[in-house]
Each structure stands twice: as structure tokens, then as C-alpha cells.
Amino acid sequence: MQIPRSQLLEHLAQLDRRYTELEGQLAEAAAAHPDPQAYQALSRELSELREIVGTYRTYLALDHDAAEAEALSLARGDLEVREFAKEEGVSLRRRQTELLVQMERDWLARNDTPDRPFIVEIRAGTGGLEAGLFVGDLYRMYTKYAARCGLWAELLELQRTEAGGFKEVAFAVKGPGAWNRFRFESGVHRVQRVPATEAQGRIHTSTVTVAVLPEPEEVELPPIPAKDLQIDVYRASGPGGQGVNTTDSAVRIRHIPTGLMVTCQDERSQLRNKEKAMRVLRARLLDRLQQEQASQIASDRRKQVGGGERSEKIRTYNFPDRRVTDHRIGLTLHKFDAILEGDLQELTDALTAHERSQSLGAS
């Protein structure tokens, strides 16, 4: 898909004007002690526009400088100065063209990626109880990251382990730009640390799988026939307030044709638990359908970087050395504590830049 240059630049000019308006509105709101939710919405929109507007303003500055260099190259004066100005003008126009290509890709990505809700599933892999503890660490990291970005996270499913960790956690994320912030997280996350139960101080390696699944719409996934569902209700277990552990509010849904099973028990209402479980089940069914379709189109899809393969190690969190390494781009960051507190933006930006450079190289 391509967009005419004049149309693209007009769209970008509109975003530039909107960015300026937002800066003014935020300044006024800060002085007037605004409603926190309204202020957060303005800040989020400004943040979403910052990168593409910054690129557009750089493009305009290059256009101005190139025009000046071209004018100088045609003016009367020293020949050497005129030749230098001519070369400078050519270099600036080349850089302008590169930025135009980048802005077109950013624009298409911005408008082709719908701001639709999705579900993040975190499951314990190898490593036993230690893996379950790391599920909790990642869940905390992701929800803090969502909060930093002004996104909304809703817990859908939670299965605890005996050691205080989690066998599985599923939560939904909504908000502008949410998909682009989380889409690189699918894969196997490896943790290396000394468990509290390790008497000799040996480092153990455990793994956790993360899946980022768009919530399906009706046009993508038809209604599930009632005959294909086995729904069981039972009394919730584990911590809970009055009414949670004393009524049959927990729900277990099994999709008979595929064997997929979802449980939900964190709500007091059986109806709410059933609703949440069905959302998770539909997301898993859509993911399975998409994987089946993709395997028919490309048999090597599961070998591709970033192709969503669950068995692919994408990142290592090394507790003793306080470092995090993303193996897809060979990036190691020594800001371990900040990352586990939800500061994932540097990783996300680096993965986005890598994807963009790969696309440019292939074009």
C-alpha cells in the first residue's frame, strides 16, 4: 500500500497542528489543576504523536536547509563555495527522501494497526516452582509498563502455585498504541537466578512463555456452538473475600473439538467469571486458527524471528549479573531493576527500529 506524497505531507501537517494544540491544552490544564483522567488522556495522545511529528519537523528543517544550499550554489561568488553548497544540497535532499520513506512506513503502521484490545497470556514453562514465581514477576512488569503508557489492564485468569507463584496469568490490555507496545513480547522468556531454596548458591535456569493474542471480533471468529462447550461451575479456592469461597462462582470452560480449557475464579459473580473465561477462550481459538492458516501459507513460519513461535527464546533476565538480553537483536541492557519495574520502552524502541531497518533493507 502506498500513499501519494502530497496527501502524506498534508496528513503529517495536520498531526503537527494537533501536536501544537495538545501542548497548549496540557499547559493550560496543568495550571488549572485538571481532572486526572482528562490530563492523562491528553498526555497519552501527545506521547503517541511525539515520534512521527518529530520526524516530520526534521523533514521540514531539511527542506529549508536544502533550499538555502541550492540557492547558494546558483548565486554569484566563489566557485569552491558554490560547489560545496551544491554537494550539501544533494546530501540534504537525499536525507529528506529517506525520512519521507520512514514517515510513510510510520503512517501506514499507525493507521493499519487498529487500537483493538488484546490478551496477554503468561505461562510457567520449564523450571517448576521457580518458573511460577517468574510468571508473577513478568505479570507485575507488564502491568507496570501498561500503567506507564497510560493503558488499561484487566485481569482475566489467574492460577496459583503452592510456592506463591502462578501457573498461568491472562490479562487484557486496551488503549491507544497498546498493540505496538506489546507485540514484540510473544515468545519464551528465560530467567537465570539463585532460588531461595538453593542452599549451595547455584544458578537455576527457568522459562516462561508469553503470548500476545488480539481479542477476536465476530467477523473473524463465528459464534461458538453451545454443543462444543463443556461448562463446569465449582467453589473458588485460594484467597478471597466473603462470597468468593462460599458459592459456586468459579467457572471452567472446555472447548470440546480442540480440548482447550480455561478457568476463571477471581470474580464473585459466576456470570462475570464465565464472561472472562469466554474472552480468553475465543482469543486462544483465534490464535490457533491464525497459526493454522499461516502454516498453510508458509511452512517455515515458526522459524522466523518475531513470528510468534512459543518455543523460541527471545529474552534472558539474568539476576546475578543484573542484565537483560534480547536475543533477537543482540541487545543487552544493564538496567535490570528498572526493566522489572516496567521500564520496557528502550527495548520496545530498539525492536521497532530493528523491524523498520529490516523492512527498508527488503524494499
Side-chain angles (χ1 to χ4, degrees):
M1 177 181 174
Q2 291 185 335
I3 180 172
R5 175 180 174 179
S6 59
Q7 184 180 348
L8 173 63
L9 292 176
E10 176 55 32
H11 286 319
L12 292 169
Q14 292 175 3
L15 292 182
D16 191 359
R17 291 191 289 271
R18 175 58 180 162
Y19 189 86
T20 302
E21 290 175 4
L22 288 169
E23 287 181 315
Q25 291 174 11
L26 274 172
E28 293 176 1
H33 305 290
D35 172 61
Q37 292 185 343
Y39 187 85
Q40 186 180 61
L42 290 172
S43 299
R44 184 167 58 241
E45 185 179 355
L46 188 75
S47 176
E48 291 298 323
L49 292 177
R50 183 171 291 117
E51 182 177 355
I52 194 168
V53 169
T55 305
Y56 173 66
R57 290 180 176 180
T58 301
Y59 173 87
L60 293 180
L62 288 171
D63 187 61
H64 176 269
D65 293 345
E68 283 192 343
E70 290 164 351
L72 182 59
S73 70
L74 297 175
R76 293 182 179 181
D78 186 272
L79 179 60
E80 186 175 347
V81 172
R82 290 167 56 192
E83 286 297 324
F84 176 80
K86 182 179 179 180
E87 293 177 3
E88 181 70 8
V90 170
S91 176
L92 291 170
R93 291 299 183 194
R94 184 183 301 114
R95 176 60 180 147
Q96 238 194 317
T97 301
E98 293 172 354
L99 280 185
L100 192 63
V101 172
Q102 177 182 328
M103 289 189 296
E104 181 179 14
R105 292 184 184 278
D106 289 347
W107 172 263
L108 292 175
R110 174 185 173 85
N111 289 276
D112 287 347
T113 304
D115 282 330
R116 58 184 294 179
F118 55 89
I119 291 174
V120 180
E121 287 185 343
I122 313 172
R123 295 180 180 179
T126 59
L129 297 178
E130 180 66 18
L133 293 174
F134 193 55
V135 169
D137 292 336
L138 288 188
Y139 173 58
R140 180 173 178 273
M141 179 183 78
Y142 285 139
T143 52
K144 282 183 168 289
Y145 180 47
R148 281 172 175 259
C149 300
L151 305 175
W152 181 67
E154 176 191 10
L155 179 64
L156 299 177
E157 182 181 10
L158 185 150
Q159 297 183 32
R160 300 180 184 274
T161 65
E162 299 174 357
F166 304 96
K167 179 180 178 182
E168 180 178 337
V169 175
F171 61 99
V173 182
K174 299 179 181 179
W179 175 257
N180 282 331
R181 295 186 186 278
F182 276 84
R183 64 194 179 97
F184 295 109
E185 296 305 307
S186 290
V188 169
H189 295 242
R190 183 175 70 173
V191 57
Q192 296 174 324
R193 64 179 166 189
V194 180
T197 56
E198 173 55 59
Q200 299 182 18
R202 292 175 297 186
I203 297 175
H204 286 222
T205 298
S206 306
T207 62
V208 168
T209 63
V210 175
V212 182
L213 313 173
E215 287 204 54
E217 299 174 353
E218 293 299 329
V219 294
E220 297 170 316
L221 191 68
I224 304 172
K227 65 181 180 62
D228 289 347
L229 298 175
Q230 176 184 327
I231 302 178
D232 301 314
V233 295
Y234 57 98
R235 189 158 297 179
S237 60
Q242 183 178 3
V244 175
N245 300 329
T246 59
T247 62
D248 292 335
S249 59
V251 175
R252 180 189 298 112
I253 301 179
R254 178 174 175 265
H255 185 245
I256 298 172
T258 62
L260 290 174
M261 186 177 297
V262 179
T263 62
C264 187
Q265 64 175 19
D266 62 293
E267 296 282 351
R268 298 188 179 189
S269 164
Q270 182 185 118
L271 184 63
R272 281 286 293 154
N273 282 328
K274 180 180 177 181
E275 176 189 339
K276 286 186 173 184
M278 282 299 300
R279 286 172 61 187
V280 175
L281 177 62
R282 286 176 56 80
R284 291 181 183 174
L285 287 172
L286 178 64
D287 181 57
R288 172 174 290 206
L289 176 62
Q290 290 174 336
Q291 288 191 38
E292 290 174 352
Q293 292 173 341
S295 65
Q296 294 173 3
I297 297 172
S299 61
D300 63 344
R301 173 184 182 272
R302 293 180 180 273
K303 299 178 182 178
Q304 296 177 10
V305 175
E309 170 55 33
R310 304 291 195 272
S311 63
E312 179 186 359
K313 178 185 68 179
I314 64 167
R315 193 176 295 154
T316 295
Y317 305 76
N318 187 293
F319 275 71
D321 294 339
R322 317 305 288 175
R323 58 177 167 82
V324 176
T325 299
D326 195 289
H327 303 287
R328 293 164 293 183
I329 54 177
L331 174 65
T332 296
L333 298 177
H334 295 275
K335 45 187 295 186
F336 184 88
D337 294 324
I339 289 173
L340 286 187
E341 287 296 315
D343 186 6
L344 291 174
Q345 200 56 51
E346 186 173 352
L347 278 168
T348 303
D349 290 343
L351 288 161
T352 301
H354 175 74
E355 182 185 65
R356 180 181 298 149
S357 66
Q358 294 291 99
S359 299
L360 288 171
S363 62

